[in-house]
Amino acid sequence: MLSQKTRYTIRALQHLADTWGQGSVRLDAIAEAQNIPRKFLTVILSEMAREGIVISHRGRDGGYELALPPVDIRYGDIIRLTRGSLALVPCASRNAHEHCNNCLPEVECRLRGLMLQLRDDTAAILDRITLADPIAVEAPFVEA
């Protein structure tokens, strides 16, 4: 599962992508529109500014805007910046590999093979989709 921080980051960056080219957006406007706590959003946007994804404008008319065109920001990169890995288990991480506790040796573990496939397929999808790509809003699931 994606962390709450990752979900907030994606929603904030989607909001900034929707307003690309229209100038900076005030923190309060993003927080209200995306239902993100203001304090948490401040931390998130500061981190994204340090990573070169967001530009911060100070002052009375300040706010935030994307530092790059939405077409240059991939969802895979956002998740890697906030979560660190796309893998569901530590032994399947390409960038932060760790041996799993209480598991078989990696050369014998078929679960690791499955998780590597899943990680690679997920990365391929997330690295293909950018903030500029339209993403449909899906209807909620109906409980039976």
Side-chain angles (χ1 to χ4, degrees):
M1 294 263 183
L2 294 178
S3 68
Q4 188 64 52
K5 176 183 176 182
T6 299
R7 291 182 286 175
Y8 284 160
T9 302
I10 290 171
R11 292 197 333 245
L13 294 178
Q14 286 173 330
H15 189 89
L16 293 175
D18 291 344
T19 60
W20 171 252
Q22 300 172 20
S24 63
V25 181
R26 298 188 56 78
L27 181 92
D28 289 334
I30 301 168
E32 184 178 331
Q34 297 302 319
N35 194 28
I36 302 171
R38 191 180 191 286
K39 269 188 163 177
F40 206 173
L41 183 58
T42 301
V43 172
I44 288 168
L45 292 176
S46 293
E47 288 178 11
M48 292 298 104
R50 281 192 300 276
E51 294 293 340
I53 305 294
V54 167
I55 298 171
S56 171
H57 300 282
R58 297 188 183 273
R60 193 171 52 125
D61 296 325
Y64 296 87
E65 64 182 307
L66 294 178
L68 305 167
V71 71
D72 292 334
I73 303 172
R74 302 174 305 169
Y75 283 94
D77 294 332
I78 298 167
I79 293 170
R80 286 182 195 92
L81 286 171
T82 57
R83 189 168 182 256
S85 175
L86 298 175
L88 296 179
V89 293
C91 67
S93 177
R94 297 280 185 202
N95 300 320
H97 178 269
E98 292 180 24
H99 296 284
C100 295
N101 295 329
N102 305 316
C103 197
L104 298 171
E106 288 182 5
V107 296
E108 299 173 19
C109 186
R110 289 185 296 158
L111 175 60
R112 179 174 182 265
L114 174 64
M115 292 296 105
L116 280 167
Q117 268 187 308
L118 178 63
R119 183 253 167 246
D120 290 347
D121 289 350
T122 300
I125 293 168
L126 292 172
D127 289 340
R128 186 173 62 235
I129 303 171
T130 72
L131 289 176
D133 292 315
I135 298 176
V137 175
E138 299 287 336
F141 291 116
V142 178
E143 294 185 31

